[in-house]
Coordinates of all heavy atoms in Angstrom, one line a residue:
M1 N -126.5 -152.9 66.5 CA -126.5 -154.2 65.8 C -126.6 -155.3 66.9 O -125.9 -155.3 67.9 CB -125.2 -154.4 65.0 CG -125.1 -155.8 64.4 SD -123.6 -155.9 63.5 CE -124.1 -155.2 61.9
K2 N -127.5 -156.3 66.7 CA -127.7 -157.3 67.7 C -126.5 -158.3 67.6 O -125.9 -158.5 66.6 CB -128.9 -158.1 67.4 CG -130.2 -157.3 67.5 CD -131.4 -158.1 67.2 CE -132.6 -157.3 67.2 NZ -133.8 -158.0 66.7
K3 N -126.2 -158.9 68.8 CA -125.0 -159.7 68.9 C -125.0 -160.9 67.9 O -124.0 -161.3 67.4 CB -124.9 -160.2 70.3 CG -123.6 -161.0 70.6 CD -123.5 -161.4 72.0 CE -122.3 -162.2 72.3 NZ -122.2 -162.6 73.6
N4 N -126.2 -161.5 67.7 CA -126.3 -162.7 66.9 C -126.6 -162.4 65.4 O -126.8 -163.3 64.6 CB -127.4 -163.6 67.4 CG -128.8 -163.0 67.4 OD1 -129.0 -161.8 67.1 ND2 -129.8 -163.8 67.6
E5 N -126.6 -161.1 65.0 CA -127.0 -160.8 63.6 C -126.0 -161.5 62.5 O -126.5 -162.0 61.6 CB -127.0 -159.3 63.3 CG -128.3 -158.7 63.8 CD -128.4 -157.2 63.4 OE1 -127.6 -156.7 62.6 OE2 -129.4 -156.6 63.9
P6 N -124.7 -161.5 62.7 CA -123.9 -162.1 61.7 C -124.2 -163.6 61.5 O -124.3 -164.1 60.4 CB -122.4 -161.9 62.2 CG -122.5 -160.7 63.1 CD -123.9 -160.8 63.7
R7 N -124.5 -164.3 62.6 CA -124.9 -165.7 62.5 C -126.2 -165.8 61.8 O -126.4 -166.7 60.9 CB -125.0 -166.3 63.9 CG -125.4 -167.8 63.9 CD -125.3 -168.4 65.2 NE -126.0 -169.6 65.5 CZ -126.1 -170.7 64.7 NH1 -125.5 -170.7 63.6 NH2 -126.7 -171.8 65.0
T8 N -127.2 -165.0 62.1 CA -128.5 -165.0 61.5 C -128.4 -164.8 60.0 O -129.0 -165.4 59.2 CB -129.4 -164.0 62.1 OG1 -129.5 -164.2 63.5 CG2 -130.8 -164.0 61.5
V9 N -127.5 -163.8 59.6 CA -127.3 -163.5 58.1 C -126.7 -164.8 57.5 O -127.1 -165.2 56.4 CB -126.4 -162.3 58.0 CG1 -125.9 -162.2 56.5 CG2 -127.1 -161.0 58.4
Y10 N -125.7 -165.4 58.1 CA -125.1 -166.6 57.6 C -126.2 -167.7 57.4 O -126.2 -168.4 56.4 CB -124.0 -167.1 58.5 CG -123.5 -168.5 58.1 CD1 -122.6 -168.6 57.0 CD2 -123.9 -169.6 58.7 CE1 -122.2 -169.8 56.6 CE2 -123.4 -170.9 58.3 CZ -122.6 -171.0 57.3 OH -122.1 -172.2 56.9
V11 N -127.0 -167.9 58.4 CA -128.0 -169.0 58.4 C -129.0 -168.7 57.3 O -129.4 -169.5 56.5 CB -128.7 -169.1 59.8 CG1 -129.9 -170.0 59.7 CG2 -127.7 -169.7 60.8
T12 N -129.4 -167.4 57.2 CA -130.4 -167.0 56.1 C -129.8 -167.2 54.7 O -130.4 -167.8 53.8 CB -130.8 -165.5 56.3 OG1 -131.3 -165.3 57.6 CG2 -131.8 -165.1 55.2
R13 N -128.5 -166.8 54.5 CA -127.8 -167.0 53.2 C -127.8 -168.5 52.9 O -128.1 -168.9 51.8 CB -126.5 -166.4 53.3 CG -125.7 -166.5 52.0 CD -124.4 -165.8 52.0 NE -123.6 -165.9 53.2 CZ -123.2 -164.9 53.9 NH1 -123.4 -163.6 53.6 NH2 -122.5 -165.1 55.0
D14 N -127.4 -169.3 53.9 CA -127.3 -170.8 53.7 C -128.7 -171.3 53.3 O -128.8 -172.2 52.4 CB -126.8 -171.4 55.0 CG -126.6 -172.9 54.8 OD1 -125.8 -173.3 53.9 OD2 -127.1 -173.7 55.5
A15 N -129.8 -170.9 54.0 CA -131.1 -171.3 53.7 C -131.5 -171.0 52.3 O -132.2 -171.8 51.6 CB -132.1 -170.8 54.7
I16 N -131.2 -169.8 51.8 CA -131.5 -169.4 50.5 C -130.8 -170.3 49.5 O -131.4 -170.8 48.5 CB -131.1 -167.9 50.2 CG1 -132.0 -167.0 51.0 CG2 -131.1 -167.6 48.7 CD1 -131.5 -165.5 51.0
L17 N -129.5 -170.5 49.7 CA -128.7 -171.3 48.8 C -129.2 -172.8 48.7 O -129.2 -173.4 47.7 CB -127.2 -171.3 49.1 CG -126.6 -169.9 48.9 CD1 -125.2 -169.9 49.4 CD2 -126.7 -169.4 47.5
K18 N -129.8 -173.3 49.8 CA -130.3 -174.7 49.8 C -131.6 -174.8 49.0 O -132.0 -175.9 48.6 CB -130.5 -175.1 51.3 CG -129.3 -175.4 52.0 CD -129.5 -175.9 53.4 CE -128.2 -176.3 54.1 NZ -128.4 -176.7 55.5
L19 N -132.2 -173.7 48.7 CA -133.5 -173.7 47.9 C -133.1 -173.9 46.4 O -134.0 -174.2 45.6 CB -134.2 -172.4 48.1 CG -134.9 -172.1 49.4 CD1 -135.5 -170.7 49.5 CD2 -135.9 -173.2 49.8
L20 N -131.9 -173.7 46.0 CA -131.5 -173.7 44.6 C -131.3 -175.1 44.1 O -130.6 -175.9 44.8 CB -130.3 -172.9 44.3 CG -130.3 -171.4 44.8 CD1 -129.0 -170.7 44.4 CD2 -131.5 -170.7 44.1
S21 N -131.8 -175.4 42.9 CA -131.5 -176.7 42.3 C -130.0 -176.6 41.7 O -129.4 -175.6 41.6 CB -132.5 -177.0 41.1 OG -132.3 -176.1 40.1
D22 N -129.5 -177.8 41.2 CA -128.2 -177.8 40.6 C -128.2 -176.9 39.3 O -127.2 -176.2 39.1 CB -127.8 -179.2 40.2 CG -127.5 -180.1 41.4 OD1 -127.3 -179.5 42.5 OD2 -127.5 -181.3 41.2
D23 N -129.3 -176.9 38.5 CA -129.4 -176.1 37.3 C -129.4 -174.6 37.7 O -128.7 -173.8 37.0 CB -130.6 -176.4 36.5 CG -130.5 -177.7 35.8 OD1 -129.4 -178.2 35.6 OD2 -131.6 -178.2 35.4
E24 N -130.1 -174.2 38.8 CA -130.1 -172.8 39.2 C -128.7 -172.4 39.7 O -128.3 -171.3 39.5 CB -131.2 -172.6 40.3 CG -132.6 -172.7 39.7 CD -133.7 -172.8 40.8 OE1 -133.4 -173.4 41.8 OE2 -134.7 -172.3 40.5
I25 N -128.1 -173.3 40.4 CA -126.7 -172.9 40.9 C -125.8 -172.6 39.7 O -125.0 -171.7 39.7 CB -126.1 -174.1 41.8 CG1 -126.9 -174.1 43.1 CG2 -124.6 -173.9 42.0 CD1 -126.6 -175.3 44.0
A26 N -125.9 -173.5 38.7 CA -125.1 -173.2 37.5 C -125.4 -171.9 36.8 O -124.6 -171.2 36.4 CB -125.3 -174.4 36.5
R27 N -126.7 -171.5 36.8 CA -127.1 -170.2 36.2 C -126.6 -169.1 37.1 O -126.2 -168.1 36.5 CB -128.7 -170.2 36.0 CG -129.1 -171.0 34.8 CD -130.6 -170.7 34.4 NE -131.5 -170.9 35.5 CZ -132.2 -172.1 35.7 NH1 -131.9 -173.1 34.9 NH2 -133.1 -172.2 36.6
V28 N -126.7 -169.2 38.4 CA -126.2 -168.2 39.2 C -124.7 -168.0 39.1 O -124.2 -166.9 39.0 CB -126.5 -168.5 40.7 CG1 -125.8 -167.6 41.7 CG2 -128.0 -168.4 40.9
S29 N -124.0 -169.1 38.9 CA -122.5 -169.1 38.7 C -122.2 -168.4 37.4 O -121.3 -167.6 37.3 CB -121.9 -170.5 38.7 OG -122.1 -171.1 40.0
T30 N -123.0 -168.6 36.4 CA -122.8 -168.0 35.1 C -123.1 -166.5 35.2 O -122.4 -165.6 34.7 CB -123.8 -168.6 34.0 OG1 -123.4 -170.0 33.9 CG2 -123.6 -167.9 32.7
A31 N -124.2 -166.1 36.0 CA -124.5 -164.7 36.2 C -123.4 -164.0 36.9 O -123.3 -162.8 36.7 CB -125.8 -164.6 37.0
E32 N -122.6 -164.6 37.7 CA -121.5 -164.0 38.4 C -120.5 -163.4 37.4 O -119.8 -162.5 37.7 CB -120.8 -165.0 39.3 CG -121.6 -165.3 40.5 CD -120.8 -166.3 41.4 OE1 -119.7 -166.7 41.1 OE2 -121.4 -166.7 42.4
T33 N -120.4 -163.9 36.2 CA -119.5 -163.4 35.2 C -120.0 -162.2 34.5 O -119.2 -161.6 33.8 CB -119.1 -164.5 34.2 OG1 -120.2 -164.9 33.5 CG2 -118.5 -165.7 34.9
A34 N -121.2 -161.9 34.7 CA -121.8 -160.7 34.0 C -121.2 -159.4 34.6 O -120.8 -159.4 35.8 CB -123.3 -160.6 34.2
A35 N -121.1 -158.4 33.8 CA -120.5 -157.1 34.3 C -121.3 -156.5 35.4 O -120.8 -156.0 36.3 CB -120.3 -156.2 33.1
R36 N -122.6 -156.5 35.2 CA -123.5 -155.9 36.2 C -124.9 -156.3 35.9 O -125.2 -156.8 34.8 CB -123.4 -154.4 36.2 CG -123.9 -153.7 35.0 CD -123.6 -152.2 35.1 NE -124.1 -151.5 33.9 CZ -125.2 -151.0 33.7 NH1 -126.1 -151.0 34.7 NH2 -125.6 -150.4 32.6
L37 N -125.8 -156.0 36.8 CA -127.2 -156.2 36.5 C -127.8 -155.1 35.6 O -127.3 -154.0 35.6 CB -128.0 -156.2 37.9 CG -127.6 -157.3 38.9 CD1 -128.2 -157.1 40.2 CD2 -128.1 -158.7 38.3
M38 N -128.9 -155.4 34.9 CA -129.5 -154.5 34.1 C -130.5 -153.7 35.0 O -131.0 -154.1 36.0 CB -130.3 -155.2 33.0 CG -129.5 -156.1 32.1 SD -128.1 -155.2 31.2 CE -129.1 -154.2 30.1
D39 N -130.8 -152.4 34.5 CA -131.8 -151.6 35.2 C -133.1 -152.4 35.5 O -133.6 -153.0 34.5 CB -132.1 -150.3 34.4 CG -131.2 -149.2 34.8 OD1 -130.4 -149.3 35.7 OD2 -131.4 -148.1 34.1
G40 N -133.6 -152.4 36.7 CA -134.8 -153.0 37.0 C -134.7 -154.5 37.4 O -135.7 -155.1 37.8
D41 N -133.5 -155.1 37.2 CA -133.4 -156.5 37.6 C -133.5 -156.6 39.1 O -133.0 -155.8 39.9 CB -132.0 -157.0 37.2 CG -131.8 -157.4 35.8 OD1 -132.8 -157.4 35.1 OD2 -130.7 -157.6 35.4
E42 N -134.3 -157.6 39.6 CA -134.4 -157.8 41.0 C -133.4 -158.8 41.4 O -133.0 -159.7 40.6 CB -135.8 -158.4 41.3 CG -136.9 -157.3 41.2 CD -138.3 -157.8 41.6 OE1 -138.6 -159.0 41.3 OE2 -139.0 -157.1 42.3
Y43 N -132.9 -158.7 42.6 CA -131.8 -159.6 43.2 C -131.8 -159.5 44.7 O -132.5 -158.7 45.3 CB -130.5 -159.1 42.6 CG -130.0 -157.8 43.2 CD1 -129.2 -157.7 44.3 CD2 -130.5 -156.6 42.6 CE1 -128.8 -156.5 44.8 CE2 -130.1 -155.4 43.1 CZ -129.2 -155.3 44.2 OH -128.8 -154.1 44.7
V44 N -131.1 -160.5 45.2 CA -130.8 -160.5 46.7 C -129.3 -160.4 46.8 O -128.6 -161.1 46.1 CB -131.3 -161.8 47.3 CG1 -130.9 -161.9 48.8 CG2 -132.8 -161.9 47.2
D45 N -128.9 -159.5 47.6 CA -127.4 -159.4 47.9 C -127.2 -160.4 49.1 O -127.6 -160.2 50.2 CB -127.1 -157.9 48.3 CG -125.6 -157.7 48.6 OD1 -124.9 -158.7 48.9 OD2 -125.2 -156.6 48.5
L46 N -126.4 -161.4 48.8 CA -126.2 -162.5 49.8 C -125.3 -162.1 50.9 O -125.2 -162.8 51.9 CB -125.7 -163.7 49.1 CG -126.7 -164.4 48.1 CD1 -126.0 -165.5 47.3 CD2 -127.9 -164.9 48.8
E47 N -124.7 -160.9 50.8 CA -123.9 -160.4 51.9 C -124.8 -159.7 52.9 O -124.4 -159.6 54.1 CB -122.8 -159.4 51.4 CG -121.7 -160.1 50.7 CD -120.8 -160.9 51.6 OE1 -120.4 -160.5 52.7 OE2 -120.5 -162.1 51.1
V48 N -125.9 -159.2 52.5 CA -126.9 -158.6 53.4 C -128.3 -159.0 53.0 O -129.1 -158.2 52.6 CB -126.7 -157.0 53.3 CG1 -125.5 -156.5 54.0 CG2 -126.7 -156.5 51.8
P49 N -128.6 -160.3 53.2 CA -129.9 -160.8 52.8 C -131.0 -160.1 53.6 O -132.2 -160.1 53.2 CB -129.9 -162.3 53.1 CG -128.8 -162.4 54.1 CD -127.8 -161.4 53.8
D50 N -130.7 -159.6 54.8 CA -131.7 -158.9 55.6 C -132.3 -157.7 54.9 O -133.3 -157.1 55.3 CB -131.2 -158.5 57.0 CG -129.9 -157.7 56.9 OD1 -129.1 -157.9 56.0 OD2 -129.8 -156.7 57.8
Q51 N -131.7 -157.2 53.9 CA -132.2 -156.0 53.1 C -133.3 -156.5 52.1 O -133.9 -155.7 51.5 CB -131.1 -155.3 52.4 CG -130.1 -154.6 53.4 CD -129.0 -153.8 52.7 OE1 -129.0 -153.8 51.4 NE2 -128.2 -153.2 53.4
G52 N -133.5 -157.8 52.0 CA -134.6 -158.3 51.2 C -134.3 -158.2 49.7 O -133.1 -158.1 49.3
V53 N -135.3 -158.2 48.9 CA -135.2 -158.1 47.5 C -135.0 -156.7 47.1 O -135.6 -155.8 47.6 CB -136.5 -158.6 46.8 CG1 -136.5 -158.4 45.3 CG2 -136.8 -160.1 47.1
R54 N -134.0 -156.5 46.2 CA -133.6 -155.2 45.8 C -133.7 -155.1 44.3 O -133.8 -156.1 43.6 CB -132.2 -154.9 46.2 CG -132.0 -155.1 47.8 CD -130.6 -154.9 48.2 NE -130.4 -153.5 48.3 CZ -129.2 -152.9 48.5 NH1 -128.2 -153.7 48.8 NH2 -129.1 -151.6 48.5
T55 N -133.8 -153.9 43.8 CA -133.9 -153.6 42.3 C -132.7 -152.9 41.9 O -132.3 -151.8 42.5 CB -135.2 -152.8 42.0 OG1 -136.3 -153.5 42.5 CG2 -135.3 -152.6 40.5
A56 N -132.0 -153.4 40.8 CA -130.8 -152.7 40.3 C -131.1 -151.4 39.6 O -132.1 -151.3 39.0 CB -130.1 -153.7 39.3
L57 N -130.2 -150.5 39.9 CA -130.3 -149.2 39.2 C -129.1 -149.0 38.3 O -128.1 -149.7 38.6 CB -130.3 -148.0 40.2 CG -131.5 -148.1 41.3 CD1 -131.3 -147.1 42.3 CD2 -132.8 -148.0 40.5
G58 N -129.1 -148.2 37.3 CA -128.1 -148.0 36.4 C -126.7 -147.8 37.0 O -125.7 -148.2 36.5
S59 N -126.7 -147.0 38.1 CA -125.4 -146.7 38.7 C -125.0 -147.7 39.8 O -124.0 -147.5 40.4 CB -125.5 -145.3 39.4 OG -126.5 -145.3 40.4
S60 N -125.7 -148.8 39.9 CA -125.4 -149.8 40.9 C -124.1 -150.5 40.5 O -123.9 -150.9 39.4 CB -126.6 -150.9 40.9 OG -126.3 -151.9 41.8
S61 N -123.3 -150.7 41.5 CA -122.0 -151.4 41.3 C -121.8 -152.5 42.3 O -120.7 -152.6 43.0 CB -120.8 -150.4 41.4 OG -120.8 -149.8 42.7
I62 N -122.8 -153.3 42.5 CA -122.7 -154.4 43.5 C -121.8 -155.5 42.9 O -122.0 -155.9 41.7 CB -124.1 -155.0 43.7 CG1 -125.1 -154.0 44.2 CG2 -124.1 -156.3 44.6 CD1 -125.4 -154.0 45.6
P63 N -120.9 -156.1 43.6 CA -120.1 -157.1 43.1 C -120.9 -158.4 42.7 O -121.7 -158.9 43.6 CB -119.1 -157.5 44.2 CG -119.1 -156.3 45.1 CD -120.5 -155.7 44.9
M64 N -120.9 -158.8 41.5 CA -121.8 -159.9 41.0 C -121.5 -161.2 41.8 O -122.4 -162.0 41.8 CB -121.6 -160.1 39.5 CG -122.1 -158.9 38.7 SD -123.9 -158.6 38.9 CE -124.6 -160.1 38.2
G65 N -120.4 -161.4 42.3 CA -120.1 -162.6 43.1 C -121.0 -162.8 44.3 O -121.0 -163.9 44.8
R66 N -121.6 -161.8 44.8 CA -122.5 -161.9 46.0 C -123.9 -161.7 45.7 O -124.8 -161.6 46.6 CB -122.0 -161.0 47.0 CG -122.2 -159.5 46.7 CD -121.5 -158.7 47.8 NE -122.3 -157.6 48.1 CZ -121.9 -156.5 48.8 NH1 -120.6 -156.4 49.1 NH2 -122.7 -155.5 49.1
V67 N -124.3 -161.6 44.4 CA -125.7 -161.3 44.0 C -126.4 -162.6 43.5 O -125.8 -163.4 42.8 CB -125.6 -160.3 42.8 CG1 -127.0 -160.2 42.1 CG2 -125.2 -159.0 43.3
L68 N -127.6 -162.7 43.9 CA -128.5 -163.8 43.4 C -129.6 -163.1 42.6 O -130.6 -162.6 43.2 CB -129.1 -164.6 44.6 CG -130.1 -165.7 44.2 CD1 -129.5 -166.7 43.3 CD2 -130.7 -166.3 45.5
P69 N -129.5 -163.1 41.3 CA -130.4 -162.4 40.5 C -131.7 -163.2 40.3 O -131.6 -164.5 40.2 CB -129.8 -162.2 39.1 CG -128.5 -162.9 39.2 CD -128.3 -163.5 40.5
K70 N -132.8 -162.6 40.3 CA -134.1 -163.3 40.1 C -134.1 -164.0 38.8 O -134.6 -165.2 38.7 CB -135.3 -162.3 40.1 CG -136.6 -162.9 39.9 CD -137.7 -161.8 39.8 CE -139.1 -162.5 39.6 NZ -140.2 -161.5 39.6
K71 N -133.6 -163.5 37.8 CA -133.6 -164.1 36.4 C -132.8 -165.4 36.4 O -132.9 -166.1 35.4 CB -133.1 -163.1 35.4 CG -131.7 -162.6 35.5 CD -131.5 -161.5 34.5 CE -130.1 -160.9 34.7 NZ -129.9 -159.8 33.8
A72 N -132.0 -165.7 37.4 CA -131.1 -166.9 37.4 C -131.8 -168.1 38.0 O -131.3 -169.2 38.0 CB -129.8 -166.6 38.1
V73 N -133.0 -167.9 38.6 CA -133.7 -169.0 39.3 C -135.1 -169.1 38.7 O -135.7 -168.2 38.1 CB -133.8 -168.8 40.8 CG1 -132.3 -168.8 41.4 CG2 -134.5 -167.5 41.2
L74 N -135.7 -170.2 39.0 CA -137.1 -170.5 38.6 C -138.1 -169.6 39.4 O -137.8 -169.2 40.5 CB -137.5 -171.9 38.7 CG -136.7 -172.9 37.9 CD1 -137.1 -174.4 38.3 CD2 -137.0 -172.7 36.4
E75 N -139.2 -169.3 38.8 CA -140.2 -168.4 39.6 C -140.6 -169.1 40.9 O -140.7 -168.4 41.9 CB -141.4 -168.2 38.7 CG -142.4 -167.2 39.3 CD -141.8 -165.8 39.4 OE1 -141.0 -165.4 38.5 OE2 -142.2 -165.1 40.4
K76 N -140.8 -170.4 40.9 CA -141.1 -171.1 42.2 C -140.0 -170.9 43.2 O -140.3 -170.6 44.4 CB -141.3 -172.6 41.9 CG -141.5 -173.5 43.1 CD -141.6 -174.9 42.7 CE -141.7 -175.9 43.9 NZ -140.6 -175.9 44.7
T77 N -138.8 -171.0 42.8 CA -137.7 -170.8 43.7 C -137.6 -169.4 44.2 O -137.4 -169.1 45.4 CB -136.3 -171.2 43.1 OG1 -136.4 -172.5 42.6 CG2 -135.2 -171.1 44.0
W78 N -137.9 -168.4 43.3 CA -137.9 -167.0 43.7 C -139.0 -166.8 44.8 O -138.7 -166.1 45.8 CB -138.1 -166.1 42.5 CG -137.8 -164.7 42.9 CD1 -138.8 -163.7 43.0 CD2 -136.6 -164.0 43.2 NE1 -138.2 -162.5 43.3 CE2 -136.9 -162.7 43.5 CE3 -135.3 -164.4 43.2 CZ2 -135.9 -161.7 43.8 CZ3 -134.3 -163.5 43.6 CH2 -134.6 -162.2 43.8
R79 N -140.1 -167.3 44.6 CA -141.2 -167.2 45.6 C -140.8 -167.7 46.9 O -141.1 -167.2 48.0 CB -142.5 -167.8 45.1 CG -143.2 -167.0 44.0 CD -144.6 -167.6 43.7 NE -144.7 -169.0 43.4 CZ -144.6 -169.5 42.2 NH1 -144.5 -168.7 41.1 NH2 -144.7 -170.8 42.0
E80 N -140.1 -168.9 46.9 CA -139.6 -169.5 48.2 C -138.6 -168.6 48.8 O -138.6 -168.4 50.1 CB -139.0 -170.9 47.9 CG -140.1 -171.9 47.5 CD -139.5 -173.2 47.0 OE1 -138.2 -173.3 46.9 OE2 -140.3 -174.1 46.8
I81 N -137.7 -168.0 48.0 CA -136.7 -167.1 48.6 C -137.4 -165.8 49.2 O -137.0 -165.4 50.3 CB -135.7 -166.7 47.5 CG1 -134.8 -167.8 47.1 CG2 -134.8 -165.5 47.9 CD1 -134.0 -167.6 45.8
V82 N -138.4 -165.3 48.5 CA -139.1 -164.1 49.0 C -139.8 -164.5 50.3 O -139.8 -163.7 51.3 CB -140.1 -163.6 47.9 CG1 -141.0 -162.5 48.5 CG2 -139.3 -163.0 46.8
A83 N -140.4 -165.6 50.4 CA -141.1 -166.1 51.6 C -140.1 -166.2 52.7 O -140.4 -165.8 53.9 CB -141.8 -167.4 51.3
L84 N -139.0 -166.8 52.5 CA -137.9 -167.0 53.5 C -137.5 -165.6 54.0 O -137.3 -165.4 55.2 CB -136.8 -167.8 52.9 CG -135.7 -168.1 53.9 CD1 -135.3 -169.6 53.8 CD2 -134.4 -167.3 53.6
L85 N -137.2 -164.7 53.1 CA -136.7 -163.4 53.5 C -137.8 -162.6 54.3 O -137.5 -161.9 55.2 CB -136.3 -162.6 52.3 CG -135.0 -163.1 51.6 CD1 -134.8 -162.3 50.3 CD2 -133.8 -163.0 52.5
S86 N -139.1 -162.8 53.9 CA -140.2 -162.1 54.6 C -140.3 -162.6 56.0 O -140.5 -161.9 56.9 CB -141.5 -162.4 53.8 OG -141.5 -161.6 52.6
A87 N -140.1 -164.0 56.2 CA -140.1 -164.6 57.5 C -139.0 -164.0 58.3 O -139.1 -163.7 59.5 CB -140.1 -166.1 57.4
Y88 N -137.8 -164.0 57.7 CA -136.6 -163.4 58.4 C -136.8 -162.0 58.9 O -136.6 -161.7 60.0 CB -135.4 -163.5 57.5 CG -134.2 -162.8 58.0 CD1 -133.4 -163.3 58.9 CD2 -133.9 -161.5 57.5 CE1 -132.3 -162.7 59.4 CE2 -132.8 -160.8 58.0 CZ -132.0 -161.4 58.9 OH -130.9 -160.7 59.4
R89 N -137.4 -161.2 58.0 CA -137.6 -159.8 58.3 C -138.7 -159.6 59.4 O -138.6 -158.8 60.3 CB -137.9 -159.0 57.1 CG -136.7 -158.8 56.1 CD -137.1 -158.2 54.8 NE -137.4 -156.8 54.9 CZ -136.5 -155.8 54.9 NH1 -135.2 -156.1 54.7 NH2 -136.8 -154.6 54.9
A90 N -139.7 -160.4 59.3 CA -140.8 -160.4 60.3 C -140.2 -160.8 61.7 O -140.5 -160.1 62.7 CB -141.9 -161.3 60.0
E91 N -139.3 -161.8 61.7 CA -138.7 -162.2 63.0 C -137.8 -161.2 63.5 O -137.7 -160.9 64.7 CB -137.9 -163.5 62.7 CG -137.3 -164.1 63.9 CD -136.5 -165.4 63.6 OE1 -137.1 -166.3 63.1 OE2 -135.3 -165.4 63.9
A92 N -137.1 -160.4 62.6 CA -136.2 -159.4 63.0 C -136.9 -158.1 63.3 O -136.3 -157.1 63.8 CB -135.1 -159.2 61.9
G93 N -138.2 -158.0 63.1 CA -138.9 -156.8 63.3 C -138.8 -155.7 62.3 O -139.2 -154.6 62.5
G94 N -138.3 -156.1 61.1 CA -138.2 -155.2 60.0 C -139.5 -155.2 59.1 O -140.3 -156.0 59.3
P95 N -139.5 -154.3 58.1 CA -140.7 -154.3 57.2 C -140.6 -155.5 56.3 O -139.5 -156.1 56.1 CB -140.5 -153.0 56.4 CG -139.0 -152.7 56.5 CD -138.6 -153.2 57.8
P96 N -141.8 -156.0 55.8 CA -141.8 -157.1 54.9 C -141.0 -156.9 53.7 O -140.8 -155.7 53.2 CB -143.2 -157.4 54.6 CG -144.0 -156.2 55.1 CD -143.1 -155.4 56.0
T97 N -140.4 -157.9 53.1 CA -139.7 -157.8 51.9 C -140.6 -157.6 50.7 O -141.8 -157.9 50.8 CB -138.7 -159.0 51.6 OG1 -137.8 -158.7 50.6 CG2 -139.5 -160.2 51.3
K98 N -140.1 -157.1 49.6 CA -140.8 -156.8 48.4 C -141.4 -158.1 47.8 O -140.8 -159.2 48.0 CB -139.8 -156.2 47.4 CG -140.3 -155.7 46.1 CD -139.2 -154.9 45.6 CE -139.2 -154.9 44.1 NZ -138.1 -154.1 43.6
G99 N -142.5 -158.1 47.2 CA -143.2 -159.2 46.6 C -142.4 -159.9 45.5 O -141.4 -159.4 45.0
A100 N -142.9 -161.0 45.0 CA -142.2 -161.8 44.0 C -142.8 -161.4 42.6 O -143.0 -162.3 41.8 CB -142.5 -163.3 44.3
S101 N -142.9 -160.2 42.3 CA -143.5 -159.7 41.1 C -143.0 -160.3 39.9 O -141.9 -160.8 39.7 CB -143.4 -158.2 41.0 OG -142.1 -157.8 41.1

């Protein structure tokens, strides 16, 4: 693990959250009260944004308080998030993140 990774994760998480409108923040806050994501839901785990866009599986037990579900934001915002994560992963030398399907 690189020495500056925790700071980079924090900066990336902050950059993602700054992309959200007030309405999207409200929808994300409402999504936090959901029991879990549905199979196939795309999301970003804000604790580990360097893992990029992920897809929920039936047995997934990610704490909803740290999840940014695709369905909680506008398509334009999701594309911006995917672009930000792709840039982050390219800078870190990792594979590109999944597309904004």
Side-chain angles (χ1 to χ4, degrees):
M1 177 179 276
K2 295 178 187 174
K3 184 177 182 181
N4 65 349
E5 278 186 13
R7 177 169 162 51
T8 303
V9 167
Y10 171 77
V11 169
T12 302
R13 181 175 41 236
D14 186 57
I16 289 170
L17 294 174
K18 285 181 179 177
L19 293 173
L20 304 181
S21 69
D22 289 343
D23 288 341
E24 289 169 325
I25 291 170
R27 284 194 300 272
V28 169
S29 295
T30 301
E32 288 179 1
T33 63
R36 66 182 179 95
L37 295 169
M38 303 300 290
D39 268 355
D41 282 350
E42 289 186 319
Y43 68 95
V44 173
D45 184 337
L46 294 173
E47 288 293 313
V48 285
D50 58 320
Q51 293 182 1
V53 175
R54 304 178 76 186
T55 302
L57 303 173
S59 61
S60 179
S61 61
I62 304 259
M64 290 302 291
R66 66 187 223 196
V67 168
L68 175 61
K70 177 181 179 179
K71 63 187 175 186
V73 299
L74 299 173
E75 188 62 37
K76 175 186 177 289
T77 304
W78 188 254
R79 285 191 305 268
E80 291 172 353
I81 290 168
V82 169
L84 184 132
L85 291 173
S86 291
Y88 169 79
R89 291 173 70 87
E91 183 179 301
T97 193
K98 188 169 151 178
S101 57

